[in-house]
Amino acid sequence: MKTFRRGSFRAALVTSVAVSALLLAGCSSTNSSDDSAGNGSSAAADGAWSYKDATGTTVKVDHTPKRVVVLNDIAISFIEYGLKPVGTFGQLTMAKDARFDDLDTDGITQLGEAYGDIDLEQLAALKPDLVVTSVYPTDEKGTLDTTQPGYGFKDKEQQKQVQAIAPVAQVEWGGKGEDVIKTIASLAESLGAKESTVDKAEDRFETAADDLEKAAKESDLSVVSMYADGDGAYVTRPSDEPTLQMYTSFGVDFVNPKPKGFYWGIYSWENAGQITGDVILLSQQGYQVADLEKQPTFADNAALEAGQVHSWTFPALDYASQADYMTKLAGWLEDSKKLS
């Protein structure tokens, strides 16, 4: 079931930040905790910009940030909305991340080759106004552990080194998927993305959501999202992953893993035969189909044998990226058969 359109969300946000724009007039480029900013971003009368992030920190810059370095998950969304980050970092490089394949990445500096690998000299040379990353909850209640570094940082010391170069804003990557999408869209607009661009993407999103809802209902298939490596198979708990939570609300029947644990249900290869589902969404990282076929306890998995395995790219939480992936998923459901 889809929630309200972003327009009403934007109206509420405008109301909440109207007062904060006055309160923050004349603020300097600092990074501090300040509840006066409201939940969102604002531009003060003198051009100052502020954003209250998921950790409760109000990030302040004396102008609207133009040179922004962004975690790859969010960089994709910014590019989709017409913004060009000056740099990016994350688990995968742009060259290895399929989500960047059709995007214009010219002029974006890759700051590292792996998670926690951030070239601080390169970062400083970019002279960023702002760094944007995400923060994941630590449990199903949505608890955020602010004693831990933001996503993409090796440790708190590295995060402090980055913050010495530019202020860091963190977006919560948990809870309801549509809420995360709205938050990122509003942040992008505060940084210069055109409202018309975002609205056009939202229209595509709603059409794709309707198509996915229809395909899920008519196909009546179960779907399992998983990652695998030498240690075993990791099945995603749909209620703990924002995108899967959203697809579930649209009617997609995701398999809940039997092993307990937040986000993942972990199966050793000895127990991997317990994993069922009509369609597999397999992470673009880790083992791929050929690797799974070599696992004696998984090679006879019904979805694997039927060829009903598709890439789970962790589509970025923006309207355009989600519209593209939901369209693909709807097609896969329509073309697949019931196995269990």
Side-chain angles (χ1 to χ4, degrees):
M1 179 179 178
K2 294 182 290 300
T3 59
F4 54 85
R5 280 183 62 89
R6 193 178 59 98
S8 57
F9 177 82
R10 182 193 297 122
L13 181 64
V14 169
T15 300
S16 71
V17 302
V19 174
S20 64
L22 297 175
L23 293 172
L24 291 169
C27 67
S28 59
S29 178
T30 58
N31 201 25
S32 63
S33 293
D34 181 353
D35 291 338
S36 66
N39 185 15
S41 55
S42 65
D46 66 347
W49 180 92
S50 72
Y51 180 75
K52 185 174 181 180
D53 76 2
T55 69
T57 298
T58 297
V59 180
K60 303 174 184 178
V61 182
D62 61 8
H63 61 283
T64 299
K66 296 299 181 185
R67 300 185 61 80
V68 184
V69 170
V70 192
L71 179 75
N72 57 355
D73 295 322
I74 303 173
I76 292 163
S77 299
F78 280 14
I79 296 171
E80 290 283 11
Y81 291 148
L83 299 178
K84 181 66 74 72
V86 296
T88 188
F89 60 98
Q91 277 195 321
L92 295 175
T93 63
M94 291 183 287
K96 294 180 179 179
D97 191 334
R99 299 174 298 176
F100 283 95
D101 286 351
D102 297 322
L103 299 180
D104 178 10
T105 60
D106 287 347
I108 303 177
T109 299
Q110 183 68 56
L111 291 169
E113 298 295 317
Y115 186 92
D117 179 18
I118 300 175
D119 189 318
L120 295 174
E121 289 188 3
Q122 271 192 317
L123 176 64
L126 291 175
K127 298 180 179 180
D129 302 314
L130 178 70
V131 174
V132 180
T133 189
S134 62
V135 57
Y136 280 78
T138 58
D139 57 34
E140 64 278 359
K141 297 178 182 178
T143 304
L144 300 181
D145 185 357
T146 57
T147 67
Q148 297 300 309
Y151 194 76
F153 298 129
K154 179 173 59 178
D155 49 37
K156 288 290 281 190
E157 178 57 32
Q158 185 188 58
Q159 181 170 326
K160 290 178 181 178
Q161 292 172 329
V162 171
Q163 287 174 316
I165 297 171
V168 174
Q170 299 183 57
V171 175
E172 181 177 353
W173 212 264
K176 294 182 178 179
E178 287 189 86
D179 288 346
V180 182
I181 291 174
K182 291 167 188 170
T183 295
I184 292 174
S186 293
L187 174 58
E189 286 186 358
S190 79
L191 294 171
K194 293 181 179 179
E195 184 179 315
S196 59
T197 299
V198 179
D199 286 346
K200 184 177 180 179
E202 186 180 9
D203 289 339
R204 287 181 51 213
F205 169 87
E206 293 199 339
T207 297
D210 287 338
D211 291 342
L212 179 59
E213 199 164 30
K214 180 181 178 182
K217 183 177 181 180
E218 293 180 351
S219 65
D220 189 31
L221 301 177
S222 60
V223 181
V224 59
S225 170
M226 61 180 281
Y227 163 87
D229 61 20
D231 295 326
Y234 301 71
V235 174
T236 317
R237 199 171 305 282
S239 59
D240 297 337
E241 210 294 319
T243 299
L244 300 190
Q245 177 279 325
M246 181 174 68
Y247 295 172
T248 299
S249 75
F250 297 160
V252 180
D253 179 19
F254 280 96
V255 172
N256 262 299
K258 293 180 180 178
K260 295 181 179 180
F262 176 66
Y263 199 90
W264 299 112
I266 304 175
Y267 295 81
S268 65
W269 282 118
E270 288 78 8
N271 298 319
Q274 299 174 11
I275 299 172
T276 60
D278 299 308
V279 175
I280 295 175
L281 299 183
L282 183 62
S283 172
Q284 67 172 331
Q285 302 180 55
Y287 279 6
Q288 298 304 299
V289 169
D291 303 299
L292 295 180
E293 291 174 337
K294 296 176 183 177
Q295 297 299 319
T297 58
F298 199 81
D300 62 351
N301 176 274
L304 183 63
E305 288 190 322
Q308 295 178 179
V309 182
H310 304 281
S311 180
W312 174 242
T313 58
F314 295 90
L317 283 163
D318 62 79
Y319 292 115
S321 296
Q322 287 296 327
D324 289 342
Y325 196 85
M326 287 192 295
T327 298
K328 292 178 182 177
L329 179 55
W332 295 334
L333 293 179
E334 290 168 354
D335 294 339
S336 298
K337 59 184 179 181
K338 188 78 174 175
L339 304 172
S340 56

